[in-house]
């Protein structure tokens, strides 16, 4: 895993271009502490920071073809690189043993078509010096980031926004109010966009082509997640999922360094640890976080699974909210507002794992692929609820809202679930068609963000077949929007902040496509999700893990806003110039502190935005 940078700026002296790339690579040192490379060629400069995982002594980057025409800077892992190397060997004389040269050879010989043959995660820049042509691309699910900016004959790209700001400080870094509006709707920017008007990201499953003579980049989709098409039986699907999952774990254990795993005690991470433990030489190292508040603590479940699997288990208690850590992660590593509070414990578990291993497996993607989220339960319930008379629904809503909302995790309170379900009911119209969960009910959004009501980017198009069923629509949108824009951003930035590579077996392309090829009804029975996954892999982990209440990586932000964090938010609301109605959020904060409503996630959303605004509304290196 690594960090990359690219700059083509003919008006700059070569020495200044190299200085900017070096500054960008210094901003990415955490992504690649094992090595650095800068290569200047025919008006372009490529930069690279390396975290050595495969071919530790070889495969330096940027890497050039023997004739000096083609140049590659690459961040990621190609898990089937050995197979691809054999396919290319008749047409390429390999000089190294890693996956970097396999990618270089494949792109030289086959161009963008080679992407379809690759299994893994990546973000790369491939420069044809003779033609003055750039090819840049991201993996199917968006596990590895790649941001870019272009104006005139200038083009720049980097793995993180903080590095791109060093490479292209004269780009348009002003606030994009359409992305601001999207952030207050969903908690993140939509695929392809950032908080900055002149800065874009290559969306997952897309590649970019840019020619120094044309000046306008072309971004095209090279992979589409198809829905349906399975013609076999459910038992055949069960066996296929088991085999594909285990093969995905096998591929992600390939490394020249030790591989460990995150273990929360939930279904997905437990399945990954179970499969990896069977295939790992010696005891697999596993890592988790404990919370002092028992309402959020899952460490006991993790310890139980670790004991059953025989892993070498490591646990550390989460100390709580810390402004310095949050600022470093949001402003430095994410580089823009980010509303998922589990960023903090994910950063801590990454820090713990990095003390022992360079690579960790995770269970990310299991909920989106196999219908595991609580919101899928809510949508099932909503189908029945909307059939009730309108007067009955209004009466139920009034009763629920008249009761104080518990300040606890939803897995431990039926009343809390009732409040959250009423939120779903209130937002249902605004969320149709579904792109992602809305954080604010429509009436609240109009009052809190009046300047942003006509703003927002156009959501990405979905396969028509995915919209034929409302539950399938949620799963599909979550896989293509929520997963890459929230979950994978969180995991990539926090893990790479500690020079740790995280690999996700559930996001193997064969498993992703398999999960969406079968009927959605096979994944859910009544209010129970992950039915097909359990049929395939249920016996590999203790039954108690399947039967426990789903919790997720919850964080007690409701308590934080009743103490110092609430005071800090109040200060920001009174001093920061922003397109939000501070009086409305002051009322939110009062209701929250009084225990009337749990507005923790909404307050966290605006807090992170104001934190960014108060620090100059730019990434921090």
């Amino acid at each position: 895993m690594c960090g990359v940078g690219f700059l083509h700026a003919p008006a700059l002296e070569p020495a200044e271009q190299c200085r900017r790339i070096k500054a960008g690579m210094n901003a990415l040192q955490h992504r690649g502490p094992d090595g650095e490379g800068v290569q200047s060629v025919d008006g372009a400069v490529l930069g690279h920071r390396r975290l050595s995982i495969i071919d530790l002594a070889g495969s330096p980057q940027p890497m050039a073809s023997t004739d000096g025409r083609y140049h590659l800077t690459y961040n990621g892992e190609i898990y089937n690189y050995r197979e691809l190397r054999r396919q290319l060997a008749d047409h390429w004389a390999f000089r190294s043993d890693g996956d970097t040269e396999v990618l270089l050879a494949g792109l030289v010989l086959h161009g963008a078509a080679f992407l379809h043959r690759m299994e893994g995660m990546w973000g790369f820049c491939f420069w044809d010096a003779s033609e003055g042509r750039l090819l840049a691309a991201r993996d199917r699910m968006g596990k590895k980031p790649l941001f870019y900016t272009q104006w005139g004959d200038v083009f720049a790209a980097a793995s993180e926004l903080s590095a791109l700001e060093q490479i292209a400080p004269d780009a348009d870094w002003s606030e994009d109010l359409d992305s601001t509006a999207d952030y207050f709707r969903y908690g993140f920017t939509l695929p392809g966009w950032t908080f900055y008007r002149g800065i874009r990201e290559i969306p997952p499953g897309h590649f970019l082509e840019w020619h120094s003579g044309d000046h306008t980049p072309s971004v095209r989709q090279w992979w589409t997640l198809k829905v349906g098409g399975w013609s076999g039986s459910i038992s055949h699907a069960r066996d296929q999922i088991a085999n594909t999952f285990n093969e995905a774990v096998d591929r992600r254990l390939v490394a020249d360094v030790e591989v460990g795993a995150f273990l929360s005690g939930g279904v997905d991470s437990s399945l990954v640890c179970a499969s990896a433990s069977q295939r790992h030489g010696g005891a697999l190292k596993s890592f988790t976080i404990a919370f002092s508040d028992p309402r959020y603590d899952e460490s006991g479940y993790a310890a139980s699974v670790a004991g059953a699997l025989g892993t070498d288990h490591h646990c550390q208690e989460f100390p709580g909210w810390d402004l310095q850590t949050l600022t470093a992660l949001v402003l430095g590593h994410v580089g823009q507002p980010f509303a998922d509070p589990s960023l903090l414990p994910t950063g801590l578990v990454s820090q713990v794992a990095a003390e022992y291993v360079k690579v960790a497996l995770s269970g990310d993607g299991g909920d989106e692929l196999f219908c595991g989220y609580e919101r899928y339960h809510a949508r099932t319930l909503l189908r029945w609820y909307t059939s009730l008379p309108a007067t009955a629904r209004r009466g139920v809503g009034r009763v629920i809202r008249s009761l104080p909302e518990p300040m606890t995790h939803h897995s431990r309170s039926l009343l809390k679930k009732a409040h959250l379900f009423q939120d779903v009911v209130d937002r249902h119209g605004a969320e149709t068609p579904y792109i992602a969960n809305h954080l604010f009910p429509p009436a609240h959004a109009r009052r809190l963000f009046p300047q942003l009501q006509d703003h927002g980017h156009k959501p990405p198009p979905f396969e028509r077949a995915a919209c034929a069923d409302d539950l399938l629509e949620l799963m599909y949108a979550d896989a293509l929007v929520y997963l890459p824009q929230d979950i994978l951003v969180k995991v990539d930035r926090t893990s790479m902040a500690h020079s740790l590579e995280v690999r996700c077996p559930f996001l193997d392309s064969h498993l992703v496509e398999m999960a969406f090829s079968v009927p959605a009804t096979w994944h859910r029975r009544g209010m129970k999700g992950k039915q097909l996954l359990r049929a395939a892999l249920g016996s590999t982990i203790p039954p108690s893990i399947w039967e426990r209440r789903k919790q997720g990586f919850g964080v007690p932000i409701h308590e934080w806003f009743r103490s110092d964090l609430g005071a800090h938010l109040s200060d920001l609301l009174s001093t920061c110039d922003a397109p939000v109605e501070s009086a409305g959020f002051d009322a939110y904060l009062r209701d929250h502190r009084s225990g009337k409503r749990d507005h923790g996630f909404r307050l966290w959303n605006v807090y992170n935005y104001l934190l960014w605004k108060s620090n100059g509304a730019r990434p921090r290196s």
Side-chain angles (χ1 to χ4, degrees):
M1 200 59 58
C2 312
V4 305
F6 176 89
L7 176 62
H8 180 278
L12 295 177
E13 292 293 329
E16 173 61 13
Q17 288 196 69
C18 287
R19 186 201 67 77
R20 290 189 177 195
I21 283 290
K22 287 179 179 178
M25 295 307 95
N26 287 340
L28 294 178
Q29 184 175 3
H30 52 280
R31 295 188 76 95
D34 298 331
E36 178 185 15
V38 174
Q39 190 173 78
S40 178
V41 52
D42 296 335
V45 183
L46 295 85
H48 189 264
R49 295 291 318 203
R50 185 180 187 193
L51 180 65
S52 299
I53 303 296
I54 292 174
D55 191 19
L56 304 183
S59 302
Q61 292 192 55
M63 182 176 285
S65 59
T66 54
D67 61 3
R69 174 176 174 176
Y70 301 100
H71 303 262
L72 173 68
T73 182
Y74 151 62
N75 164 35
E77 300 288 353
I78 302 173
Y79 301 123
N80 63 334
Y81 78 96
R82 291 171 177 165
E83 174 189 343
L84 295 174
R85 180 189 175 106
R86 289 191 293 270
Q87 296 172 9
L88 298 169
D90 289 343
H91 305 282
W92 189 273
F94 284 94
R95 298 163 290 157
S96 60
D97 296 324
D99 59 345
T100 302
E101 191 176 5
V102 171
L103 176 57
L104 175 66
L107 294 174
V108 169
L109 295 171
H110 302 285
F114 190 65
L115 297 171
H116 295 277
R117 298 162 66 174
M118 295 160 52
E119 177 58 47
M121 52 183 178
W122 60 82
F124 67 77
C125 293
F126 174 68
W127 177 245
D128 181 342
S130 295
E131 295 286 336
R133 190 179 301 276
L134 176 73
L135 172 67
R138 288 181 73 197
D139 61 78
R140 295 170 180 85
M141 303 304 292
K143 286 169 279 188
K144 294 294 107 183
L146 192 57
F147 300 95
Y148 70 94
T149 184
Q150 180 273 328
W151 70 97
D153 58 359
V154 176
F155 188 95
S159 295
E160 291 186 7
L161 290 165
S162 58
L164 187 58
E165 200 269 346
Q166 294 292 314
I167 296 169
D170 36 6
D172 185 355
W173 289 91
S174 60
E175 181 177 358
D176 179 353
L177 289 179
D178 288 319
S179 286
T180 302
D182 291 335
Y183 171 80
F184 283 122
R185 286 189 187 98
Y186 311 121
F188 44 77
T189 57
L190 288 174
W193 303 96
T194 75
F195 259 85
Y196 308 102
R197 292 177 63 186
I199 313 299
R200 301 286 299 273
E201 70 167 355
I202 298 176
H206 286 66
F207 68 80
L208 174 150
E209 290 182 306
W210 179 78
H211 191 276
S212 57
D214 294 340
H215 300 265
T216 302
S218 170
V219 178
R220 288 185 282 172
Q221 188 171 6
W222 67 268
W223 178 79
T224 301
L225 178 56
K226 300 294 185 182
V227 171
W230 180 258
S231 58
S233 65
I234 191 170
S235 60
H236 183 202
R238 175 199 64 206
D239 296 341
Q240 188 70 25
I241 284 172
N243 293 335
T244 305
F245 176 77
N246 288 323
E247 289 169 0
V249 173
D250 268 335
R251 280 192 284 269
R252 284 153 183 80
L253 289 172
V254 175
D256 294 330
V257 296
E258 186 172 3
V259 179
F262 294 157
L263 177 58
S264 69
V267 167
D268 300 330
S269 65
S270 298
L271 290 173
V272 169
C273 278
S275 181
S277 294
Q278 294 174 358
R279 291 157 175 78
H280 187 274
L284 179 76
K285 288 184 173 65
S286 58
F287 308 95
T288 197
I289 292 300
F291 289 89
S292 59
D293 186 336
R295 294 172 296 180
Y296 292 84
D297 186 44
E298 294 185 283
S299 60
Y301 294 109
S304 175
V305 175
L309 299 178
T311 69
D312 178 8
H313 193 56
H314 303 265
C315 178
Q316 185 163 324
E317 184 170 315
F318 179 67
W321 170 69
D322 175 71
L323 178 59
Q324 182 177 355
T325 301
L326 178 66
T327 301
L329 286 174
V330 172
L331 303 185
H333 296 288
V334 179
Q336 58 188 0
F338 185 74
D340 188 339
S342 63
L343 186 80
L344 290 172
T346 305
L348 181 58
V349 75
S350 296
Q351 179 182 341
V352 173
E355 295 175 6
Y356 298 90
V357 297
K358 269 189 160 182
V359 178
L361 306 183
S362 84
D364 296 305
D367 285 316
E368 292 84 356
L369 269 60
F370 294 100
C371 202
Y373 283 128
E374 288 292 314
R375 56 179 164 268
Y376 305 151
H377 305 342
R379 180 55 65 97
T380 302
L381 185 59
L382 187 65
R383 291 171 173 172
W384 166 81
Y385 185 78
T386 53
S387 68
L388 296 177
T391 53
R393 297 199 302 271
R394 286 194 295 269
V396 170
R398 282 194 296 270
V399 170
I400 291 173
R401 292 308 192 202
S402 69
L403 301 172
E405 183 174 354
M407 299 288 177
T408 188
H409 195 276
H410 61 76
S411 66
R412 295 176 179 270
S413 169
L414 184 60
L415 180 56
K416 180 72 169 186
K417 287 183 176 180
H419 272 276
L420 293 176
F421 178 72
Q422 191 59 45
D423 287 344
V424 171
V425 173
D426 294 343
R427 301 190 316 256
H428 180 55
E431 291 180 352
T432 305
Y434 181 83
I435 303 299
N437 271 357
H438 284 215
L439 294 178
F440 296 87
H444 291 215
R446 289 190 292 271
R447 185 171 69 251
L448 295 168
F449 316 110
Q451 300 176 50
L452 300 176
Q453 290 308 295
D454 295 326
H455 286 276
H457 288 292
K458 183 179 180 180
F462 294 151
E463 285 284 291
R464 180 173 296 181
C467 304
D469 175 88
D470 60 346
L471 192 57
L472 176 61
E473 182 183 34
L474 263 67
M475 295 169 60
Y476 191 87
D478 283 343
L480 297 184
V481 178
Y482 173 68
L483 180 64
Q485 302 308 112
D486 185 309
I487 301 298
L488 298 183
V489 170
K490 172 186 68 177
V491 173
D492 175 81
R493 305 309 187 277
T494 56
S495 62
M496 294 309 298
H498 300 287
S499 307
L500 177 75
E501 174 174 302
V502 173
R503 301 175 174 182
C504 310
F506 277 107
L507 298 185
D508 186 281
S509 66
H510 302 91
L511 188 60
V512 172
E513 291 168 353
M514 173 71 200
F516 279 94
S517 72
V518 302
T521 53
W522 291 4
H523 291 303
R524 171 168 292 277
R525 186 178 303 115
M527 296 297 289
K528 292 281 189 178
K530 295 188 177 176
Q531 293 302 292
L532 189 55
L533 185 66
R534 182 169 187 175
L537 298 166
S539 63
T540 63
I541 60 175
S544 59
I545 300 302
W546 288 103
E547 299 302 330
R548 58 167 292 208
R549 296 169 295 187
K550 181 172 177 58
Q551 187 159 330
F553 214 171
V555 181
I557 53 176
H558 63 279
E559 295 291 349
W560 301 348
F561 279 111
R562 300 175 85 173
S563 56
D564 292 346
L565 183 57
H568 192 207
L569 173 58
S570 185
D571 290 342
L572 290 173
L573 285 167
S574 65
T575 59
C576 195
D577 182 20
V580 302
E581 289 298 310
S582 59
F585 278 104
D586 284 333
Y588 260 31
L589 189 56
R590 286 194 300 272
D591 284 351
H592 183 87
R593 285 173 152 175
S594 69
K596 182 178 179 181
R597 286 295 309 274
D598 183 357
H599 288 303
F601 283 102
R602 296 171 184 134
L603 295 172
W604 184 262
N605 174 273
V606 75
Y607 174 77
N608 277 270
Y609 173 76
L610 295 175
L611 184 67
W612 172 75
K613 289 283 281 188
S614 66
N615 280 272
R618 296 273 292 251
R620 176 184 291 183
S621 298

